[in-house]
Amino acid sequence: MDPNIHEAHRHDRRRRRLPGLLLLAVITTVGAGWLGLFGFLGSNAALGTVEDLEDQFFCDVTAMDLSFPDVSRLSSVTTADGVELGKLSERNSQPIPLGEIPDLVIGALLSAEDKSFYEHEGVDFKAIVRAAIGGGETGASTITQQVVKQNYLTADRTLERKICEAQVAAELERRFTKDQVLEFYANSVFFGSNAYGVRAAAQEYFAKELDELTLAEAATLVTPIRNPTFYHPRHNPQNSIAVRNQTIDRMVDNGLATPQEGEIAKRSPLGVVPHSVREELDPQVMLAVRQRLLDSDGYGLGDSYEERKRALFGCPAADTTCSGGGGLQIDITIDYDLQTEANRILRSWFRPEYGGPTGAIATVENATGAIRVIASGVDYGDDLEAGERPYDLATGSARNAGSAFKPFTLTAALENGDLDGRPVTLASLWDRASPAVIDCGYPCSADGNTWTVENAGGNTGHDLQSLESATYNSTNAVYARLIDAIGPAVVVDTARRLGITSQYLKPFHSITLGAASVSPLEMASAYSTIANYGNRVEPYLIERITDATGEVIYQHEVRPERVLSRSIGSVVVSTLEKVVSQGTGRRADIGRPQAGKTGTATEHTDVWFAGFVPQLTTTVWVGYPDRPLPMERFTVWNDAEGKEQSVKRAFGGTVAAPVWKQFMEYATRDLPVVDFAPEPTGADVYWIVPRTVVPDLSGMDYEEMADAVYGAGLRLDRIDVASSEPEGHIVSISPRAETALQQGSTVSVLVSTGIPEPVLAPDLVGLPLDDVTGALQQFSEDTDIHLRWVVEHFAIEDASLWGIVIRTDPSPGTTVVDEQTIKVVVGRKPSP
């Protein structure tokens, strides 16, 4: 047919409908009854011809976009191993093709809302008249008119709008088939309680799929359409029952049920189930997905928060004019099997009935940054008394990392050296004396500028320890001195480059002992960078987003970034391997190449084990969920050993490490055993014992000297010597100040005892008497001791001893003092 002729036909057909459409508008706008009708016609007698009426009241449907709005859909979240975690929606809308809606439900819908739907052309004039004279049980608006009112026109109750509504309804049925109109209506009409469409309503009120509904339930399902508040089956059951029974009667009249079936259905209770929040397999993960998608504009969902919210959830529940949104397939990186096992382990170890702490586990795939686990030991929700928490402990909780932060200080030291430009190596030697008293140069503790740090084992004297040993043995005093030597600013920079994003990261000395609050996921990310020998990959949760048409609108791309030299990364890994093999993390040993670090916060409020194998990095945190509290004298269920375990005081190596071990044994059960790559050429420079210089010790007492000498990585050998100098006076130092030595060498210091060395009587025996005076004079010059002496002659037969000293009193070698008198016995010839 000629398009112009077809258009003329259509236009002429629209003109012929004018009297009926006008009747509709008059009756519904001016009032019911023939008196109101004739009054309206009389008052408008001067309107003129049909064309005049059309020009004044008809809307131009040719200029209107009458395509059906896109019905909002639920967005689905699926894990890496193919498990659907749940749906994301503000509006519970679950569109379904008309062919999949059971005849029983369609029959109930048409019986309640528009029994002549398949007979009229968008406007039911008979129903209009019945409604006007009070003879109809249903409203005058057809399903098509309801679609028009809800989606295309304003809610104004004016003559022009009513006429336009009828005209648009007719035009809608010209453009679409009856089935298309009904399918849209069945999927978009509001049923109350945030349910849009018949499928969502069936799940909301009966927790059933459509093909599971009974006759009574199908009739109940459609009652809220008239007025979702007044006929709400849950809130106003009596109103709902009355309308339900009317609908059942109509369904019987329409041949959808027998009279007997109808009577049985009308005697049935409503059977409406309580409202329930949509089930999600892991609410904490779903929360993390929501937050990431709403907070970032990098997923192709819109520039503004509202745009992203609409794209993700679909239309707001209260906005009936809104269309579209939702229907996304969101593929995430979580491994549901690992996530489930992590949750199980945490809930087994830290049971609510014990009243103790809880925990969290975060796992990242090293090669890609894919987040495989973010598990919390508490359920998600607002019932705090029942143990629920409205946040995720693995990603949303920031706690002190304790010594698990030390590898970042170690990395910074190897990379930057100390503030004086000297290199720091793993073989460098440090004073492990406890406590370490550090002058921060700024207020850094309750004592002002002084920061005092003790080792876990208590107070010890000066001794040297390699930086490597101090790491795997977690020596606090060494790390306090280390951060003072390199400065906290480089530690902050290194931690951020490795993957710590916490806003609490500030350049304070105490950061080396984990005073900054971080999340388990941050720690897993940063340790993963170390495991990658300095190659950082951003941790990510969203793998792919596909829209309702199957188009991929976001696909994550792995983009590694070198943030640390491979050599430094490799030697840090080598050091952290010893944490497990011979240090504080032995309880984390899973019998394959692995590395990690324990962490225990001050007062034992938070304990950690962060560790990795070449493929995966996992962090375990244990603590109280709401605030840091000392973990002392509590009970856990050691799930690995199947028994209760009393804990006197929590440490990372005794509580977090065994949990890490149990989880990682499960996580790695199907992973090949591979070793870390060999250290690259040039990494051996970080194993060299550095050289240092003897510090200037002038003016210091011995304790100050010890601090300075051990602080330079040298040993101090104290030699106490008798001296007339005051006690403690430094007699001599060797080697002298500024002498270059390898760390670990010894500096000898001679210290006065305050007691002069004893002077011994000279040996005069055998000297001629004439020589005694000279010998004593020389003795006095040598010792500064003046001795008096007397001579006693002793008769002796041996002529060779006549005139010779044969003995002294005191005898030679006996201690003498100044001005002491000694007796000199000289041989003589006996008397005749």
Side-chain angles (χ1 to χ4, degrees):
M1 177 180 290
D2 187 314
N4 294 326
I5 297 176
H6 177 77
E7 176 61 23
H9 252 302
R10 188 193 64 78
H11 189 67
D12 192 52
R13 182 184 175 193
R14 180 162 55 87
R15 287 175 180 272
R16 290 198 302 270
R17 283 204 191 102
L18 178 57
L21 298 177
L22 187 58
L23 175 63
L24 162 67
V26 170
I27 292 174
T28 56
T29 305
V30 177
W34 298 107
L35 182 60
L37 170 61
F38 289 126
F40 173 82
L41 292 175
S43 65
N44 290 278
L47 286 176
T49 66
V50 170
E51 286 80 4
D52 292 333
L53 288 173
E54 182 179 89
D55 291 341
Q56 182 167 350
F57 293 107
F58 273 55
C59 50
D60 184 4
V61 295
T62 62
M64 297 179 65
D65 178 9
L66 296 184
S67 58
F68 287 139
D70 184 21
V71 178
S72 295
R73 299 170 175 83
L74 297 181
S75 293
S76 178
V77 177
T78 304
T79 65
D81 47 347
V83 177
E84 184 179 278
L85 283 188
K87 305 283 190 180
L88 297 174
S89 180
E90 286 195 327
R91 173 186 287 188
N92 184 4
S93 174
Q94 303 179 54
I96 182 173
L98 185 66
E100 296 180 17
I101 302 177
D103 291 341
L104 181 66
V105 176
I106 293 175
L109 187 64
L110 295 179
S111 296
E113 294 300 314
D114 190 354
K115 71 174 184 177
S116 302
F117 174 73
Y118 280 97
E119 300 170 7
H120 60 67
E121 295 183 357
V123 180
D124 190 345
F125 297 109
K126 293 180 181 179
I128 293 172
V129 174
R130 285 197 305 269
I133 63 177
E137 295 177 335
T138 60
S141 293
T142 66
I143 283 178
T144 312
Q145 285 177 275
Q146 292 182 51
V147 170
V148 171
K149 284 189 291 186
Q150 293 169 5
N151 298 281
Y152 302 113
L153 300 179
T154 67
D156 298 337
R157 295 182 62 83
T158 65
L159 174 62
E160 291 87 347
R161 196 203 68 81
K162 293 301 294 184
I163 293 176
C164 190
E165 175 190 304
Q167 184 185 11
V168 174
E171 179 67 17
L172 204 62
E173 292 215 355
R174 188 188 71 81
R175 297 190 186 186
F176 297 97
T177 67
K178 285 286 188 180
D179 285 353
Q180 288 174 320
V181 174
L182 183 58
E183 179 178 301
F184 176 77
Y185 178 77
N187 284 312
S188 63
V189 69
F190 182 48
F191 286 84
S193 290
N194 197 30
Y196 290 78
V198 290
R199 187 182 183 201
Q203 293 181 357
E204 170 63 29
Y205 293 124
F206 300 106
K208 292 181 177 181
E209 289 296 333
L210 290 172
D211 58 4
E212 298 173 323
L213 296 178
T214 65
L215 172 63
E217 290 168 343
T220 302
L221 185 74
V222 299
T223 60
I225 294 176
R226 294 187 185 183
N227 186 321
T229 300
F230 189 76
Y231 296 113
H232 195 290
R234 194 178 287 130
H235 304 320
N236 293 301
Q238 294 307 313
N239 298 343
S240 182
I241 286 176
V243 176
R244 178 201 70 174
N245 291 344
Q246 291 176 3
T247 301
I248 292 173
D249 288 339
R250 295 192 195 107
M251 294 176 74
V252 171
D253 292 342
N254 295 331
L256 296 167
T258 66
Q260 182 180 8
E261 290 171 336
E263 290 304 315
I264 293 173
K266 288 193 291 184
R267 290 195 297 270
S268 301
L270 285 179
V272 176
V273 300
H275 173 73
S276 63
V277 177
R278 180 170 297 278
E279 181 180 359
E280 296 173 345
L281 293 182
D282 200 303
Q284 283 101 336
V285 174
M286 294 292 285
L287 175 66
V289 171
R290 290 186 188 96
Q291 288 177 334
R292 277 165 172 73
L293 294 178
L294 289 175
D295 292 345
S296 172
D297 61 1
Y299 296 104
L301 301 181
D303 296 329
S304 70
Y305 182 88
E306 288 303 321
E307 288 175 330
R308 296 191 290 271
K309 186 176 180 182
R310 167 76 172 279
L312 183 62
F313 296 121
C315 292
D319 187 354
T320 59
T321 65
C322 172
S323 67
L328 303 178
Q329 173 58 50
I330 302 162
D331 296 317
I332 63 173
T333 59
I334 293 296
D335 184 312
Y336 185 68
D337 177 54
L338 295 184
Q339 178 78 12
T340 302
E341 179 63 9
N343 282 326
R344 188 200 67 77
I345 289 173
L346 291 171
R347 284 160 175 76
S348 295
W349 275 80
F350 310 110
R351 299 181 175 182
E353 58 264 32
Y354 289 150
T358 185
I361 297 175
T363 299
V364 173
E365 187 176 81
N366 294 336
T368 65
I371 300 170
R372 298 305 185 194
V373 172
I374 42 174
S376 296
V378 295
D379 291 330
Y380 178 79
D382 296 319
D383 190 347
L384 302 186
E385 293 184 0
E388 296 178 343
R389 293 298 183 275
Y391 49 81
D392 168 36
L393 294 174
T395 63
S397 178
R399 293 299 183 83
N400 288 5
S403 292
F405 213 87
K406 285 175 181 172
F408 308 144
T409 305
L410 171 63
T411 302
L414 297 177
E415 188 175 39
N416 296 280
D418 67 18
L419 293 172
D420 294 323
R422 292 186 292 263
V424 175
T425 71
L426 286 159
S428 61
L429 299 173
W430 297 80
D431 187 5
R432 69 181 312 276
S434 176
V437 181
I438 307 296
D439 182 358
C440 303
Y442 57 88
C444 57
S445 73
D447 299 325
N449 291 5
T450 301
W451 181 43
T452 302
V453 177
E454 295 183 351
N455 292 330
N459 294 348
T460 56
H462 292 289
D463 193 10
L464 293 181
Q465 184 177 26
S466 72
L467 185 53
E468 179 196 28
S469 172
T471 301
Y472 64 73
N473 286 302
S474 204
T475 309
N476 290 341
V478 167
Y479 267 84
R481 295 181 174 99
L482 177 62
I483 197 168
D484 189 51
I486 67 175
V490 295
V491 178
V492 170
D493 173 70
T494 299
R496 291 210 180 280
R497 282 189 287 118
L498 293 177
I500 298 298
T501 59
S502 171
Q503 61 178 324
Y504 306 107
L505 214 55
K506 306 296 181 185
F508 300 129
H509 279 64
S510 56
I511 195 175
T512 191
L513 302 184
S517 297
V518 293
S519 73
L521 180 58
E522 284 180 273
M523 291 293 284
S525 172
Y527 270 67
S528 178
T529 304
I530 295 173
N532 288 336
Y533 286 8
N535 221 24
R536 177 181 175 180
V537 284
E538 285 293 330
Y540 71 101
L541 182 62
I542 310 301
E543 185 71 63
R544 182 185 307 102
I545 302 175
T546 308
D547 68 15
T549 68
E551 180 182 354
V552 175
I553 60 176
Y554 172 79
Q555 175 67 57
H556 179 78
E557 294 182 11
V558 177
R559 296 177 178 175
E561 178 187 4
R562 170 72 50 195
V563 297
L564 183 68
S565 79
R566 185 174 177 81
S567 293
I568 292 179
S570 69
V571 298
V572 173
V573 169
S574 296
T575 303
L576 297 184
E577 284 186 280
K578 294 181 180 178
V579 172
V580 178
S581 64
Q582 54 190 286
T584 58
R586 299 180 190 185
R587 289 181 175 87
D589 192 348
I590 60 174
R592 61 162 63 201
Q594 67 183 102
K597 184 70 184 74
T598 55
T600 303
T602 304
E603 303 297 331
H604 306 268
T605 57
D606 303 277
V607 297
W608 301 72
F609 189 83
F612 47 84
V613 296
Q615 300 98 320
L616 296 174
T617 295
T618 291
T619 298
V620 171
W621 164 84
V622 177
Y624 287 93
D626 299 319
R627 62 186 183 278
L629 295 172
M631 288 185 285
E632 298 178 339
R633 295 179 176 83
F634 61 94
T635 301
V636 298
W637 176 262
N638 188 324
D639 190 62
E641 299 179 7
K643 64 180 182 180
E644 282 191 350
Q645 177 178 319
S646 296
V647 180
K648 182 178 180 181
R649 182 174 293 165
F651 291 90
T654 59
V655 177
V659 175
W660 188 94
K661 175 181 179 178
Q662 184 180 4
F663 171 73
M664 285 296 282
E665 283 178 336
Y666 184 87
T668 60
R669 68 197 187 284
D670 295 326
L671 293 180
V673 177
V674 296
D675 204 349
F676 296 102
E679 294 177 7
T681 302
D684 55 350
V685 69
Y686 297 106
W687 297 105
I688 296 174
V689 179
R691 295 182 66 78
T692 186
V693 295
V694 177
D696 184 0
L697 306 179
S698 58
M700 297 183 182
D701 60 27
Y702 182 78
E703 287 305 317
E704 292 171 334
M705 287 184 181
D707 289 342
V709 170
Y710 280 94
L714 299 169
R715 301 183 188 280
L716 183 63
D717 183 17
R718 171 175 176 151
I719 303 174
D720 291 325
V721 295
S723 171
S724 59
E725 297 290 342
E727 181 180 2
H729 179 76
I730 305 303
V731 177
S732 66
I733 299 171
S734 178
R736 65 180 182 273
E738 300 302 320
T739 300
L741 299 172
Q742 189 177 56
Q743 283 190 343
S745 300
T746 299
V747 174
S748 298
V749 178
L750 304 184
V751 182
S752 170
T753 62
I755 301 173
E757 186 174 353
V759 177
L760 303 181
D763 185 3
L764 303 177
V765 176
L767 292 179
L769 178 61
D770 293 341
D771 293 343
V772 169
T773 299
L776 290 179
Q777 184 175 353
Q778 185 63 48
F779 174 79
S780 178
E781 292 177 0
D782 292 341
T783 64
D784 202 27
I785 296 294
H786 178 258
L787 294 179
R788 301 176 186 277
W789 60 290
V790 295
V791 177
E792 179 180 306
H793 293 278
F794 182 78
I796 190 169
E797 294 293 335
D798 186 353
S800 64
L801 297 178
W802 294 345
I804 302 300
V805 178
I806 57 176
R807 65 176 181 273
T808 60
D809 185 18
S811 60
T814 303
T815 301
V816 293
V817 297
D818 192 35
E819 300 299 328
Q820 182 177 346
T821 299
I822 65 172
K823 181 194 297 182
V824 178
V825 179
V826 180
R828 67 174 176 81
K829 182 179 179 179
S831 299

